[in-house]
Amino acid sequence: MRARGRAILSARLGRGTLKPVSVTLPPDTDQPLFPGRACRPGSARTGSRVTGCREAGQMPVPLSRKIGQKKQRLAESQHQQIPKERPPSTLGLQQSIYFSSPDEHPGRLGPEFFDQPAVTLARAFLGQVLVRRLADGTELRGRIVETEAYLGPEDEASHSRGGRQTPRNRGMFMKPGTLYVYIIYGMYFCLNVSSQGAGACVLLRALEPLEGLETMRQFRSTLRKSTAGRTLKDRELCSGPSKLCQALAIDKSFDQRDLAQDEAVWLEHGPLESSSPAVVAAARIGIGHAGEWTQKPLRFYVQGSPWVSVVDRVAEQMYQPQQAD
């Protein structure tokens, strides 16, 4: 269309009567023929009949060049967003070794540790560290100093004696490392860990508190029924199966959890010592009406530890203490 010319428009005047109207465009206008459409400099394509959208004297930019410029700007933008790699630190780890997932606990004991016969596992537990992480991230730790082994269907003192399985003791028949938590006297909990052999497990009887003692003391003071108002001594915090459950806030909700994978409770390697502690094998506590199993030496504790729940002087005299594995 020429810059100067006439555009013939038709307007309806009256009824069915058409009257031609002529409009003269201003010379050398840069406005588009249709004002409602926006125009951008250089947006007209080569050979286009509408040239008003290109500034006077400006050559059209080839499409391939515009695409290349856009790719270049995009590449530069992405390059600026890529974070620069930090140089390796020479100061070693700058955060705690205790993290929030099983793979991030370097000292955490895995499934293979629990895959042992009950007696062997009961002895292997001694010296290891039980960890409890609370909902607010607080971690409580205690070194295991006393355990009891329950051998499964043949053991008359076991909840699985005779091979009986119930919803209550199901954890005893699950894979090694599964927690079995049961309630006694209608108010106290006991924590067990399944081992090799269907229905076999290990009862955790006592811990040496290592970390979070004040929190443990608060839990114990809130839940205990006796000695109200008296401040508990450190050795009273975890010196018994129900006491340690109170101190670590462990209840029935922990039943059937996997100690090798759980986020709230797990087991870590105990600190290395120059020599293994002497282990005493004695009769289990509170076992009655179990025949010969009542006196079998299936309770194991660290000799000389002030954190043990019950010391058996007779057993210490009768049996030569063994070295822990």
Side-chain angles (χ1 to χ4, degrees):
M1 180 178 291
R2 297 179 180 178
R4 297 174 61 88
R6 292 184 178 181
I8 305 301
L9 303 177
S10 296
R12 185 180 299 273
L13 300 174
R15 289 189 231 172
T17 303
L18 296 178
K19 183 178 180 179
V21 178
S22 63
V23 178
T24 303
L25 298 177
D28 300 328
T29 179
D30 286 337
Q31 298 299 321
L33 182 60
F34 304 101
R37 299 184 61 182
C39 65
R40 292 173 297 179
S43 61
R45 297 176 56 186
T46 304
S48 173
R49 297 181 61 187
V50 179
T51 60
C53 291
R54 189 174 68 242
E55 296 180 359
Q58 181 179 352
M59 297 297 293
V61 180
L63 181 60
S64 59
R65 180 179 174 185
K66 293 176 63 178
I67 295 177
Q69 291 174 346
K70 183 176 292 186
K71 288 184 177 180
Q72 182 178 359
R73 289 195 297 270
L74 180 61
E76 292 176 353
S77 175
Q78 292 177 345
H79 178 73
Q80 293 175 356
Q81 294 177 1
I82 298 176
K84 297 181 179 179
E85 294 185 0
R86 296 181 179 180
S89 173
T90 58
L91 299 179
L93 292 175
Q94 298 299 306
Q95 60 185 131
S96 170
I97 63 172
Y98 306 111
F99 299 93
S100 60
S101 70
D103 293 340
E104 293 175 339
H105 293 284
R108 183 173 189 151
L109 293 170
E112 64 283 349
F113 173 83
F114 305 103
D115 194 11
Q116 307 182 55
V119 172
T120 306
L121 182 60
R123 289 172 47 81
F125 267 128
L126 300 179
Q128 312 303 341
V129 176
L130 183 65
V131 185
R132 169 77 166 93
R133 169 175 282 175
L134 305 178
D136 63 359
T138 301
E139 292 184 356
L140 312 177
R141 282 180 169 77
R143 182 185 292 110
I144 300 173
V145 296
E146 183 181 0
T147 60
E148 287 182 354
Y150 290 85
L151 309 188
E154 63 177 317
D155 190 342
E156 290 297 322
S158 174
H159 290 176
S160 61
R161 59 184 175 275
R164 63 180 183 179
Q165 300 184 40
T166 66
R168 178 199 185 202
N169 70 357
R170 185 172 181 272
M172 302 179 73
F173 293 87
M174 296 174 69
K175 68 178 182 178
T178 301
L179 298 183
Y180 167 45
V181 181
Y182 62 87
I183 190 170
I184 59 174
Y185 306 122
M187 65 179 71
Y188 301 119
F189 298 96
C190 293
L191 177 63
N192 303 260
V193 184
S194 64
S195 64
Q196 269 186 14
C201 68
V202 175
L203 170 67
L204 304 186
R205 281 200 57 90
L207 306 176
E208 174 189 351
L210 299 177
E211 184 177 329
L213 274 68
E214 291 309 313
T215 301
M216 295 181 188
R217 203 182 324 274
Q218 182 179 355
F219 285 148
R220 286 275 289 113
S221 299
T222 302
L223 298 174
R224 63 182 173 148
K225 300 298 181 181
S226 60
T227 63
R230 180 176 67 83
T231 301
L232 289 171
K233 299 178 181 179
D234 290 354
R235 69 170 305 275
E236 297 177 298
L237 295 178
C238 303
S239 57
S242 296
K243 292 179 181 179
L244 73 85
C245 283
Q246 287 184 345
L248 300 183
I250 292 175
D251 55 23
K252 187 65 174 177
S253 67
F254 284 80
D255 186 44
Q256 299 181 23
R257 294 196 188 187
D258 187 353
L259 193 56
Q261 296 292 328
D262 199 80
E263 291 293 329
V265 61
W266 63 87
L267 200 67
E268 293 178 349
H269 282 289
L272 297 177
E273 299 180 358
S274 57
S275 60
S276 299
V279 176
V280 177
R284 294 172 292 189
I285 304 297
I287 303 299
H289 310 290
E292 62 177 345
W293 291 91
T294 302
Q295 297 302 320
K296 285 187 178 294
L298 295 175
R299 179 168 70 100
F300 307 93
Y301 66 85
V302 177
Q303 186 179 34
S305 172
W307 317 99
V308 172
S309 64
V310 179
V311 174
D312 192 327
R313 300 298 182 189
V314 175
E316 292 184 3
Q317 294 176 1
M318 291 179 58
Y319 300 98
Q320 184 69 26
Q322 304 173 356
Q323 297 297 313
D325 294 337

